[in-house]
Amino acid sequence: MKHISKASMLIGVAAAVALGLTACTPGGSAAPAASQSLGPVSKDVGSAKTTLTVWDQNTDTGINDAQQVLNDAFEKAHPNITVKRVSRSFADLKTTLKLALSGDNPPDVVQANQGYPDMGAFVKAGFLRPVDDYAKLYGWDDYYPSSLLKLNSFSSDGTTWQGDQLYGVSQTGELVGLYYNKELLKAAGIDSPPTTVAELTEDMQKVKAAGTLPLSYGDVEKSPGIHLYGLVLSALAGRESVNDLVAGKSGSWTGDDEVKAASTISGWVKDGYVTEGANGVSRDDAVSAFGSGKSAFLITGTWYQATLEAASKAKDIGFTALTPAGASTPVTMGGEGLAWAITSKSKNADAAAAYVDFVTNAKAATTLVDKGNLPTVVPDSDTPAEGTIAGDITSNYKTISSANALTPYLDYATPTFYDTITAAMQDLVAGKATPEQYTKTLQSDYTGFVKK
């Protein structure tokens, strides 16, 4: 592990995920292939007029603002290069990116979701260029902890996650946590935020009795369902169990904790603790409702930090995570944001690599912080005030990462798990599936992949 002072908040993030995953994961037992030889690379991007087509999913307020600043600065530093940005929501990116990559004129740079559903599939299809050579050239293998780089790595055939070839680097760190409204909790007779799933359920009951909606939740885009279930499952089962399950090492999606997590969410819906008709509500509308004081709780990621800092009730908002029974530290999902990757058909690989470095390096991290984001490698100078949203996020990030208490995103589990779990969560929330049926659906997908 290098650059410890810069990466100290990240060591636990990487270890929490890496300890639960092996270099040879279910569905691909072949030995990793040797690194591809792609010829010489250079930091010299030349002087010829060049257009870089870049696809990202940085649509939320803070990260969108930062991306625009970084793109403008990159063009100023390289006046011969024009950045043609295509920005889509995470759900839209997942839907359209594969088609774009398979065409004759794909983007030069894309953000690719880690795990089997996206990055693995793209590597297997030959859509992404390995970037180990650029990692050495730009010092990415020095700047990032090696375990974090592993999360963006695959074998060259796309069958082994955390294989021997690097396919991108990430720009942001992430936590999925519990945002809460201090004044609404106080009005309901609650002195401090909940620390466990059981306490959260009890507090939701008190908030509803006080006449306020407990939990804002919108899942029309489907992806929020992973965050909701992942937060509850992580806080019930703990880091090791969730890591081993996602990695295919042990456990079952029909296990006691898995069913209990689904039952907890189903109970919240039945008791009227969750936004009515949540499957038809957008995540942004749910965040807006919480930010304006219409609910006491919101379960989502740190990528909404800037949005909530600009909300009308920002001064009342806090951020925390939940602790499993018997544990001393909160456990939740998180790690790093989508990887910036270079496509294999790009005719401007050196310029693309220069761009990736520019939007992810230490100087970029300062811009990210200034715009209300959590960078993958947090600057030593980032010390937000206590009692603020930024202060709560940074404090939790330090505590959780240093304790190796982060679990991986659940959709990493199989190539089709994203579609399976998001659709199943909508059925669970709509009352179309029982907790047992929900978990059996997940297990069916999982078993088919693990046994390959």
PDB file of all heavy atoms in Angstrom, residues 55-68 85-93 111 171 221 283-284 303-304 307 340 373:
ATOM      1  N   TRP A  55     -18.420   9.437 -22.156  1.00  0.00           N
ATOM      2  CA  TRP A  55     -19.711   9.105 -21.567  1.00  0.00           C
ATOM      3  C   TRP A  55     -19.560   8.959 -20.052  1.00  0.00           C
ATOM      4  O   TRP A  55     -18.699   8.205 -19.583  1.00  0.00           O
ATOM      5  CB  TRP A  55     -20.241   7.784 -22.141  1.00  0.00           C
ATOM      6  CG  TRP A  55     -20.871   7.907 -23.495  1.00  0.00           C
ATOM      7  CD1 TRP A  55     -20.457   8.696 -24.530  1.00  0.00           C
ATOM      8  CD2 TRP A  55     -22.026   7.193 -23.970  1.00  0.00           C
ATOM      9  NE1 TRP A  55     -21.269   8.532 -25.621  1.00  0.00           N
ATOM     10  CE2 TRP A  55     -22.252   7.611 -25.313  1.00  0.00           C
ATOM     11  CE3 TRP A  55     -22.877   6.255 -23.404  1.00  0.00           C
ATOM     12  CZ2 TRP A  55     -23.299   7.099 -26.078  1.00  0.00           C
ATOM     13  CZ3 TRP A  55     -23.922   5.753 -24.178  1.00  0.00           C
ATOM     14  CH2 TRP A  55     -24.132   6.179 -25.496  1.00  0.00           C
ATOM     15  N   ASP A  56     -20.380   9.684 -19.297  1.00  0.00           N
ATOM     16  CA  ASP A  56     -20.343   9.562 -17.841  1.00  0.00           C
ATOM     17  C   ASP A  56     -21.753   9.491 -17.278  1.00  0.00           C
ATOM     18  O   ASP A  56     -22.736   9.722 -17.986  1.00  0.00           O
ATOM     19  CB  ASP A  56     -19.550  10.714 -17.208  1.00  0.00           C
ATOM     20  CG  ASP A  56     -20.244  12.067 -17.328  1.00  0.00           C
ATOM     21  OD1 ASP A  56     -21.370  12.203 -16.805  1.00  0.00           O
ATOM     22  OD2 ASP A  56     -19.671  13.001 -17.931  1.00  0.00           O
ATOM     23  N   GLN A  57     -21.841   9.144 -15.989  1.00  0.00           N
ATOM     24  CA  GLN A  57     -23.138   9.119 -15.312  1.00  0.00           C
ATOM     25  C   GLN A  57     -23.164  10.132 -14.173  1.00  0.00           C
ATOM     26  O   GLN A  57     -23.889   9.982 -13.199  1.00  0.00           O
ATOM     27  CB  GLN A  57     -23.450   7.707 -14.800  1.00  0.00           C
ATOM     28  CG  GLN A  57     -22.434   7.132 -13.816  1.00  0.00           C
ATOM     29  CD  GLN A  57     -22.845   7.224 -12.369  1.00  0.00           C
ATOM     30  OE1 GLN A  57     -23.947   6.844 -12.004  1.00  0.00           O
ATOM     31  NE2 GLN A  57     -21.944   7.702 -11.535  1.00  0.00           N
ATOM     32  N   ASN A  58     -22.371  11.190 -14.308  1.00  0.00           N
ATOM     33  CA  ASN A  58     -22.251  12.218 -13.278  1.00  0.00           C
ATOM     34  C   ASN A  58     -23.352  13.273 -13.422  1.00  0.00           C
ATOM     35  O   ASN A  58     -23.092  14.438 -13.719  1.00  0.00           O
ATOM     36  CB  ASN A  58     -20.860  12.868 -13.334  1.00  0.00           C
ATOM     37  CG  ASN A  58     -19.774  11.916 -12.878  1.00  0.00           C
ATOM     38  OD1 ASN A  58     -20.047  10.922 -12.214  1.00  0.00           O
ATOM     39  ND2 ASN A  58     -18.545  12.209 -13.243  1.00  0.00           N
ATOM     40  N   THR A  59     -24.581  12.858 -13.212  1.00  0.00           N
ATOM     41  CA  THR A  59     -25.721  13.742 -13.427  1.00  0.00           C
ATOM     42  C   THR A  59     -26.189  14.451 -12.159  1.00  0.00           C
ATOM     43  O   THR A  59     -26.920  15.437 -12.245  1.00  0.00           O
ATOM     44  CB  THR A  59     -26.908  12.958 -14.019  1.00  0.00           C
ATOM     45  OG1 THR A  59     -27.254  11.882 -13.131  1.00  0.00           O
ATOM     46  CG2 THR A  59     -26.538  12.370 -15.379  1.00  0.00           C
ATOM     47  N   ASP A  60     -25.814  13.956 -10.980  1.00  0.00           N
ATOM     48  CA  ASP A  60     -26.233  14.603  -9.740  1.00  0.00           C
ATOM     49  C   ASP A  60     -25.506  15.939  -9.573  1.00  0.00           C
ATOM     50  O   ASP A  60     -24.397  16.135 -10.084  1.00  0.00           O
ATOM     51  CB  ASP A  60     -25.966  13.695  -8.542  1.00  0.00           C
ATOM     52  CG  ASP A  60     -26.817  12.433  -8.581  1.00  0.00           C
ATOM     53  OD1 ASP A  60     -27.970  12.523  -9.041  1.00  0.00           O
ATOM     54  OD2 ASP A  60     -26.319  11.364  -8.187  1.00  0.00           O
ATOM     55  N   THR A  61     -26.121  16.841  -8.816  1.00  0.00           N
ATOM     56  CA  THR A  61     -25.674  18.239  -8.762  1.00  0.00           C
ATOM     57  C   THR A  61     -24.190  18.415  -8.495  1.00  0.00           C
ATOM     58  O   THR A  61     -23.466  19.037  -9.281  1.00  0.00           O
ATOM     59  CB  THR A  61     -26.480  19.000  -7.698  1.00  0.00           C
ATOM     60  OG1 THR A  61     -27.867  18.946  -8.038  1.00  0.00           O
ATOM     61  CG2 THR A  61     -26.041  20.457  -7.638  1.00  0.00           C
ATOM     62  N   GLY A  62     -23.692  17.881  -7.389  1.00  0.00           N
ATOM     63  CA  GLY A  62     -22.304  18.120  -7.011  1.00  0.00           C
ATOM     64  C   GLY A  62     -21.307  17.552  -7.985  1.00  0.00           C
ATOM     65  O   GLY A  62     -20.348  18.232  -8.388  1.00  0.00           O
ATOM     66  N   ILE A  63     -21.512  16.317  -8.399  1.00  0.00           N
ATOM     67  CA  ILE A  63     -20.548  15.682  -9.294  1.00  0.00           C
ATOM     68  C   ILE A  63     -20.673  16.247 -10.706  1.00  0.00           C
ATOM     69  O   ILE A  63     -19.675  16.358 -11.425  1.00  0.00           O
ATOM     70  CB  ILE A  63     -20.721  14.143  -9.284  1.00  0.00           C
ATOM     71  CG1 ILE A  63     -19.564  13.457 -10.017  1.00  0.00           C
ATOM     72  CG2 ILE A  63     -22.055  13.734  -9.869  1.00  0.00           C
ATOM     73  CD1 ILE A  63     -18.214  13.671  -9.379  1.00  0.00           C
ATOM     74  N   ASN A  64     -21.865  16.636 -11.107  1.00  0.00           N
ATOM     75  CA  ASN A  64     -22.030  17.273 -12.416  1.00  0.00           C
ATOM     76  C   ASN A  64     -21.283  18.602 -12.460  1.00  0.00           C
ATOM     77  O   ASN A  64     -20.590  18.914 -13.437  1.00  0.00           O
ATOM     78  CB  ASN A  64     -23.508  17.484 -12.719  1.00  0.00           C
ATOM     79  CG  ASN A  64     -23.730  18.181 -14.058  1.00  0.00           C
ATOM     80  OD1 ASN A  64     -23.405  17.637 -15.107  1.00  0.00           O
ATOM     81  ND2 ASN A  64     -24.265  19.390 -14.018  1.00  0.00           N
ATOM     82  N   ASP A  65     -21.410  19.400 -11.394  1.00  0.00           N
ATOM     83  CA  ASP A  65     -20.701  20.677 -11.319  1.00  0.00           C
ATOM     84  C   ASP A  65     -19.186  20.473 -11.385  1.00  0.00           C
ATOM     85  O   ASP A  65     -18.477  21.192 -12.093  1.00  0.00           O
ATOM     86  CB  ASP A  65     -21.073  21.416 -10.036  1.00  0.00           C
ATOM     87  CG  ASP A  65     -22.521  21.877 -10.016  1.00  0.00           C
ATOM     88  OD1 ASP A  65     -23.162  21.864 -11.083  1.00  0.00           O
ATOM     89  OD2 ASP A  65     -23.001  22.246  -8.933  1.00  0.00           O
ATOM     90  N   ALA A  66     -18.710  19.481 -10.632  1.00  0.00           N
ATOM     91  CA  ALA A  66     -17.278  19.201 -10.630  1.00  0.00           C
ATOM     92  C   ALA A  66     -16.806  18.741 -12.000  1.00  0.00           C
ATOM     93  O   ALA A  66     -15.738  19.157 -12.477  1.00  0.00           O
ATOM     94  CB  ALA A  66     -16.956  18.145  -9.574  1.00  0.00           C
ATOM     95  N   GLN A  67     -17.600  17.901 -12.657  1.00  0.00           N
ATOM     96  CA  GLN A  67     -17.206  17.378 -13.965  1.00  0.00           C
ATOM     97  C   GLN A  67     -17.103  18.490 -14.997  1.00  0.00           C
ATOM     98  O   GLN A  67     -16.189  18.511 -15.826  1.00  0.00           O
ATOM     99  CB  GLN A  67     -18.203  16.313 -14.434  1.00  0.00           C
ATOM    100  CG  GLN A  67     -17.659  15.430 -15.546  1.00  0.00           C
ATOM    101  CD  GLN A  67     -16.445  14.635 -15.080  1.00  0.00           C
ATOM    102  OE1 GLN A  67     -16.490  13.994 -14.037  1.00  0.00           O
ATOM    103  NE2 GLN A  67     -15.366  14.691 -15.832  1.00  0.00           N
ATOM    104  N   GLN A  68     -18.023  19.438 -14.943  1.00  0.00           N
ATOM    105  CA  GLN A  68     -17.976  20.558 -15.878  1.00  0.00           C
ATOM    106  C   GLN A  68     -16.730  21.407 -15.664  1.00  0.00           C
ATOM    107  O   GLN A  68     -16.071  21.837 -16.627  1.00  0.00           O
ATOM    108  CB  GLN A  68     -19.242  21.406 -15.737  1.00  0.00           C
ATOM    109  CG  GLN A  68     -20.495  20.715 -16.258  1.00  0.00           C
ATOM    110  CD  GLN A  68     -21.754  21.531 -16.044  1.00  0.00           C
ATOM    111  OE1 GLN A  68     -21.785  22.438 -15.222  1.00  0.00           O
ATOM    112  NE2 GLN A  68     -22.806  21.220 -16.778  1.00  0.00           N
ATOM    113  N   ARG A  85     -19.014  15.652 -24.297  1.00  0.00           N
ATOM    114  CA  ARG A  85     -19.540  14.939 -23.137  1.00  0.00           C
ATOM    115  C   ARG A  85     -20.960  14.440 -23.379  1.00  0.00           C
ATOM    116  O   ARG A  85     -21.830  15.189 -23.814  1.00  0.00           O
ATOM    117  CB  ARG A  85     -19.520  15.849 -21.905  1.00  0.00           C
ATOM    118  CG  ARG A  85     -19.993  15.162 -20.626  1.00  0.00           C
ATOM    119  CD  ARG A  85     -20.117  16.136 -19.473  1.00  0.00           C
ATOM    120  NE  ARG A  85     -20.557  15.462 -18.256  1.00  0.00           N
ATOM    121  CZ  ARG A  85     -21.050  16.064 -17.195  1.00  0.00           C
ATOM    122  NH1 ARG A  85     -21.175  17.393 -17.184  1.00  0.00           N
ATOM    123  NH2 ARG A  85     -21.435  15.364 -16.136  1.00  0.00           N
ATOM    124  N   VAL A  86     -21.183  13.167 -23.059  1.00  0.00           N
ATOM    125  CA  VAL A  86     -22.521  12.579 -23.051  1.00  0.00           C
ATOM    126  C   VAL A  86     -22.774  12.093 -21.630  1.00  0.00           C
ATOM    127  O   VAL A  86     -22.118  11.162 -21.159  1.00  0.00           O
ATOM    128  CB  VAL A  86     -22.640  11.410 -24.040  1.00  0.00           C
ATOM    129  CG1 VAL A  86     -24.035  10.774 -23.960  1.00  0.00           C
ATOM    130  CG2 VAL A  86     -22.336  11.871 -25.466  1.00  0.00           C
ATOM    131  N   SER A  87     -23.687  12.750 -20.934  1.00  0.00           N
ATOM    132  CA  SER A  87     -23.935  12.426 -19.528  1.00  0.00           C
ATOM    133  C   SER A  87     -25.324  11.814 -19.374  1.00  0.00           C
ATOM    134  O   SER A  87     -26.326  12.409 -19.795  1.00  0.00           O
ATOM    135  CB  SER A  87     -23.823  13.690 -18.671  1.00  0.00           C
ATOM    136  OG  SER A  87     -23.885  13.373 -17.301  1.00  0.00           O
ATOM    137  N   ARG A  88     -25.388  10.635 -18.797  1.00  0.00           N
ATOM    138  CA  ARG A  88     -26.653   9.921 -18.623  1.00  0.00           C
ATOM    139  C   ARG A  88     -26.774   9.444 -17.188  1.00  0.00           C
ATOM    140  O   ARG A  88     -25.776   9.233 -16.501  1.00  0.00           O
ATOM    141  CB  ARG A  88     -26.726   8.714 -19.563  1.00  0.00           C
ATOM    142  CG  ARG A  88     -26.613   9.059 -21.050  1.00  0.00           C
ATOM    143  CD  ARG A  88     -26.623   7.802 -21.902  1.00  0.00           C
ATOM    144  NE  ARG A  88     -26.460   8.095 -23.314  1.00  0.00           N
ATOM    145  CZ  ARG A  88     -27.464   8.331 -24.151  1.00  0.00           C
ATOM    146  NH1 ARG A  88     -28.703   8.311 -23.691  1.00  0.00           N
ATOM    147  NH2 ARG A  88     -27.235   8.583 -25.426  1.00  0.00           N
ATOM    148  N   SER A  89     -27.998   9.246 -16.734  1.00  0.00           N
ATOM    149  CA  SER A  89     -28.209   8.675 -15.405  1.00  0.00           C
ATOM    150  C   SER A  89     -27.626   7.269 -15.375  1.00  0.00           C
ATOM    151  O   SER A  89     -27.391   6.645 -16.423  1.00  0.00           O
ATOM    152  CB  SER A  89     -29.700   8.612 -15.078  1.00  0.00           C
ATOM    153  OG  SER A  89     -30.358   7.648 -15.890  1.00  0.00           O
ATOM    154  N   PHE A  90     -27.394   6.750 -14.181  1.00  0.00           N
ATOM    155  CA  PHE A  90     -26.831   5.410 -14.040  1.00  0.00           C
ATOM    156  C   PHE A  90     -27.684   4.384 -14.776  1.00  0.00           C
ATOM    157  O   PHE A  90     -27.171   3.537 -15.518  1.00  0.00           O
ATOM    158  CB  PHE A  90     -26.730   5.052 -12.553  1.00  0.00           C
ATOM    159  CG  PHE A  90     -26.229   3.657 -12.297  1.00  0.00           C
ATOM    160  CD1 PHE A  90     -24.899   3.339 -12.478  1.00  0.00           C
ATOM    161  CD2 PHE A  90     -27.092   2.655 -11.862  1.00  0.00           C
ATOM    162  CE1 PHE A  90     -24.425   2.046 -12.243  1.00  0.00           C
ATOM    163  CE2 PHE A  90     -26.639   1.370 -11.630  1.00  0.00           C
ATOM    164  CZ  PHE A  90     -25.304   1.066 -11.826  1.00  0.00           C
ATOM    165  N   ALA A  91     -29.006   4.451 -14.596  1.00  0.00           N
ATOM    166  CA  ALA A  91     -29.899   3.486 -15.236  1.00  0.00           C
ATOM    167  C   ALA A  91     -29.823   3.602 -16.752  1.00  0.00           C
ATOM    168  O   ALA A  91     -29.772   2.585 -17.467  1.00  0.00           O
ATOM    169  CB  ALA A  91     -31.332   3.696 -14.749  1.00  0.00           C
ATOM    170  N   ASP A  92     -29.810   4.831 -17.276  1.00  0.00           N
ATOM    171  CA  ASP A  92     -29.735   5.029 -18.723  1.00  0.00           C
ATOM    172  C   ASP A  92     -28.385   4.577 -19.277  1.00  0.00           C
ATOM    173  O   ASP A  92     -28.298   4.030 -20.384  1.00  0.00           O
ATOM    174  CB  ASP A  92     -29.971   6.498 -19.071  1.00  0.00           C
ATOM    175  CG  ASP A  92     -31.421   6.915 -18.924  1.00  0.00           C
ATOM    176  OD1 ASP A  92     -32.283   6.019 -18.851  1.00  0.00           O
ATOM    177  OD2 ASP A  92     -31.690   8.130 -18.868  1.00  0.00           O
ATOM    178  N   LEU A  93     -27.334   4.818 -18.502  1.00  0.00           N
ATOM    179  CA  LEU A  93     -26.005   4.407 -18.945  1.00  0.00           C
ATOM    180  C   LEU A  93     -25.939   2.890 -19.091  1.00  0.00           C
ATOM    181  O   LEU A  93     -25.397   2.366 -20.067  1.00  0.00           O
ATOM    182  CB  LEU A  93     -24.944   4.895 -17.962  1.00  0.00           C
ATOM    183  CG  LEU A  93     -23.483   4.729 -18.406  1.00  0.00           C
ATOM    184  CD1 LEU A  93     -23.156   5.702 -19.526  1.00  0.00           C
ATOM    185  CD2 LEU A  93     -22.528   4.924 -17.235  1.00  0.00           C
ATOM    186  N   GLN A 111     -17.562   5.636 -18.313  1.00  0.00           N
ATOM    187  CA  GLN A 111     -17.606   5.155 -16.937  1.00  0.00           C
ATOM    188  C   GLN A 111     -18.295   3.797 -16.953  1.00  0.00           C
ATOM    189  O   GLN A 111     -19.438   3.671 -17.407  1.00  0.00           O
ATOM    190  CB  GLN A 111     -18.379   6.127 -16.042  1.00  0.00           C
ATOM    191  CG  GLN A 111     -17.561   7.328 -15.601  1.00  0.00           C
ATOM    192  CD  GLN A 111     -18.248   8.104 -14.498  1.00  0.00           C
ATOM    193  OE1 GLN A 111     -19.330   8.636 -14.687  1.00  0.00           O
ATOM    194  NE2 GLN A 111     -17.615   8.168 -13.348  1.00  0.00           N
ATOM    195  N   GLN A 171     -13.139   7.866  -9.619  1.00  0.00           N
ATOM    196  CA  GLN A 171     -13.049   9.283  -9.291  1.00  0.00           C
ATOM    197  C   GLN A 171     -13.550   9.583  -7.879  1.00  0.00           C
ATOM    198  O   GLN A 171     -13.060  10.503  -7.213  1.00  0.00           O
ATOM    199  CB  GLN A 171     -13.892  10.049 -10.318  1.00  0.00           C
ATOM    200  CG  GLN A 171     -13.881  11.554 -10.257  1.00  0.00           C
ATOM    201  CD  GLN A 171     -14.776  12.130 -11.346  1.00  0.00           C
ATOM    202  OE1 GLN A 171     -15.882  11.637 -11.572  1.00  0.00           O
ATOM    203  NE2 GLN A 171     -14.305  13.162 -12.030  1.00  0.00           N
ATOM    204  N   GLU A 221     -36.378   4.341 -11.094  1.00  0.00           N
ATOM    205  CA  GLU A 221     -35.174   3.999 -11.860  1.00  0.00           C
ATOM    206  C   GLU A 221     -34.632   2.618 -11.522  1.00  0.00           C
ATOM    207  O   GLU A 221     -33.680   2.148 -12.132  1.00  0.00           O
ATOM    208  CB  GLU A 221     -34.064   5.029 -11.605  1.00  0.00           C
ATOM    209  CG  GLU A 221     -34.404   6.445 -12.019  1.00  0.00           C
ATOM    210  CD  GLU A 221     -35.063   7.247 -10.909  1.00  0.00           C
ATOM    211  OE1 GLU A 221     -35.405   6.652  -9.858  1.00  0.00           O
ATOM    212  OE2 GLU A 221     -35.252   8.454 -11.092  1.00  0.00           O
ATOM    213  N   ARG A 283     -36.097   8.839  -7.833  1.00  0.00           N
ATOM    214  CA  ARG A 283     -35.173   8.986  -6.698  1.00  0.00           C
ATOM    215  C   ARG A 283     -34.943  10.465  -6.400  1.00  0.00           C
ATOM    216  O   ARG A 283     -34.818  10.854  -5.238  1.00  0.00           O
ATOM    217  CB  ARG A 283     -33.853   8.278  -6.972  1.00  0.00           C
ATOM    218  CG  ARG A 283     -33.095   8.798  -8.182  1.00  0.00           C
ATOM    219  CD  ARG A 283     -31.749   8.153  -8.373  1.00  0.00           C
ATOM    220  NE  ARG A 283     -30.988   8.905  -9.371  1.00  0.00           N
ATOM    221  CZ  ARG A 283     -29.671   9.028  -9.345  1.00  0.00           C
ATOM    222  NH1 ARG A 283     -28.964   8.465  -8.392  1.00  0.00           N
ATOM    223  NH2 ARG A 283     -29.055   9.712 -10.277  1.00  0.00           N
ATOM    224  N   ASP A 284     -34.881  11.302  -7.446  1.00  0.00           N
ATOM    225  CA  ASP A 284     -34.665  12.728  -7.230  1.00  0.00           C
ATOM    226  C   ASP A 284     -35.841  13.359  -6.486  1.00  0.00           C
ATOM    227  O   ASP A 284     -35.647  14.243  -5.639  1.00  0.00           O
ATOM    228  CB  ASP A 284     -34.444  13.441  -8.556  1.00  0.00           C
ATOM    229  CG  ASP A 284     -33.077  13.148  -9.164  1.00  0.00           C
ATOM    230  OD1 ASP A 284     -32.212  12.630  -8.440  1.00  0.00           O
ATOM    231  OD2 ASP A 284     -32.882  13.437 -10.359  1.00  0.00           O
ATOM    232  N   TRP A 303     -23.307  10.370  -2.869  1.00  0.00           N
ATOM    233  CA  TRP A 303     -23.339  11.153  -4.108  1.00  0.00           C
ATOM    234  C   TRP A 303     -24.422  12.234  -4.079  1.00  0.00           C
ATOM    235  O   TRP A 303     -24.443  13.103  -4.930  1.00  0.00           O
ATOM    236  CB  TRP A 303     -23.537  10.231  -5.314  1.00  0.00           C
ATOM    237  CG  TRP A 303     -24.654   9.238  -5.169  1.00  0.00           C
ATOM    238  CD1 TRP A 303     -25.976   9.430  -5.454  1.00  0.00           C
ATOM    239  CD2 TRP A 303     -24.538   7.893  -4.709  1.00  0.00           C
ATOM    240  NE1 TRP A 303     -26.698   8.293  -5.204  1.00  0.00           N
ATOM    241  CE2 TRP A 303     -25.842   7.321  -4.742  1.00  0.00           C
ATOM    242  CE3 TRP A 303     -23.469   7.100  -4.271  1.00  0.00           C
ATOM    243  CZ2 TRP A 303     -26.098   6.008  -4.361  1.00  0.00           C
ATOM    244  CZ3 TRP A 303     -23.734   5.793  -3.891  1.00  0.00           C
ATOM    245  CH2 TRP A 303     -25.026   5.252  -3.926  1.00  0.00           C
ATOM    246  N   TYR A 304     -25.306  12.189  -3.084  1.00  0.00           N
ATOM    247  CA  TYR A 304     -26.318  13.237  -2.928  1.00  0.00           C
ATOM    248  C   TYR A 304     -25.899  14.309  -1.918  1.00  0.00           C
ATOM    249  O   TYR A 304     -26.704  15.144  -1.530  1.00  0.00           O
ATOM    250  CB  TYR A 304     -27.657  12.630  -2.505  1.00  0.00           C
ATOM    251  CG  TYR A 304     -28.533  12.233  -3.670  1.00  0.00           C
ATOM    252  CD1 TYR A 304     -28.864  10.907  -3.899  1.00  0.00           C
ATOM    253  CD2 TYR A 304     -29.028  13.191  -4.544  1.00  0.00           C
ATOM    254  CE1 TYR A 304     -29.668  10.538  -4.967  1.00  0.00           C
ATOM    255  CE2 TYR A 304     -29.832  12.833  -5.620  1.00  0.00           C
ATOM    256  CZ  TYR A 304     -30.146  11.506  -5.824  1.00  0.00           C
ATOM    257  OH  TYR A 304     -30.940  11.158  -6.894  1.00  0.00           O
ATOM    258  N   THR A 307     -26.392  17.926  -3.271  1.00  0.00           N
ATOM    259  CA  THR A 307     -27.820  18.205  -3.435  1.00  0.00           C
ATOM    260  C   THR A 307     -28.468  18.527  -2.101  1.00  0.00           C
ATOM    261  O   THR A 307     -29.241  19.493  -1.976  1.00  0.00           O
ATOM    262  CB  THR A 307     -28.525  16.998  -4.080  1.00  0.00           C
ATOM    263  OG1 THR A 307     -27.959  16.752  -5.372  1.00  0.00           O
ATOM    264  CG2 THR A 307     -30.020  17.254  -4.221  1.00  0.00           C
ATOM    265  N   TRP A 340     -13.436   4.991 -14.660  1.00  0.00           N
ATOM    266  CA  TRP A 340     -13.211   5.659 -15.945  1.00  0.00           C
ATOM    267  C   TRP A 340     -12.351   4.737 -16.793  1.00  0.00           C
ATOM    268  O   TRP A 340     -11.222   4.399 -16.428  1.00  0.00           O
ATOM    269  CB  TRP A 340     -12.503   6.993 -15.740  1.00  0.00           C
ATOM    270  CG  TRP A 340     -13.369   8.047 -15.124  1.00  0.00           C
ATOM    271  CD1 TRP A 340     -13.497   8.333 -13.797  1.00  0.00           C
ATOM    272  CD2 TRP A 340     -14.224   8.962 -15.807  1.00  0.00           C
ATOM    273  NE1 TRP A 340     -14.389   9.367 -13.620  1.00  0.00           N
ATOM    274  CE2 TRP A 340     -14.853   9.774 -14.837  1.00  0.00           C
ATOM    275  CE3 TRP A 340     -14.519   9.181 -17.157  1.00  0.00           C
ATOM    276  CZ2 TRP A 340     -15.747  10.781 -15.160  1.00  0.00           C
ATOM    277  CZ3 TRP A 340     -15.410  10.189 -17.481  1.00  0.00           C
ATOM    278  CH2 TRP A 340     -16.022  10.986 -16.496  1.00  0.00           C
ATOM    279  N   ASN A 373     -18.312  16.673  -3.023  1.00  0.00           N
ATOM    280  CA  ASN A 373     -18.195  15.253  -3.351  1.00  0.00           C
ATOM    281  C   ASN A 373     -17.122  14.590  -2.485  1.00  0.00           C
ATOM    282  O   ASN A 373     -16.273  15.261  -1.912  1.00  0.00           O
ATOM    283  CB  ASN A 373     -17.818  15.074  -4.824  1.00  0.00           C
ATOM    284  CG  ASN A 373     -18.807  15.725  -5.759  1.00  0.00           C
ATOM    285  OD1 ASN A 373     -19.853  15.175  -6.060  1.00  0.00           O
ATOM    286  ND2 ASN A 373     -18.481  16.933  -6.231  1.00  0.00           N
TER     287      ASN A 373
END
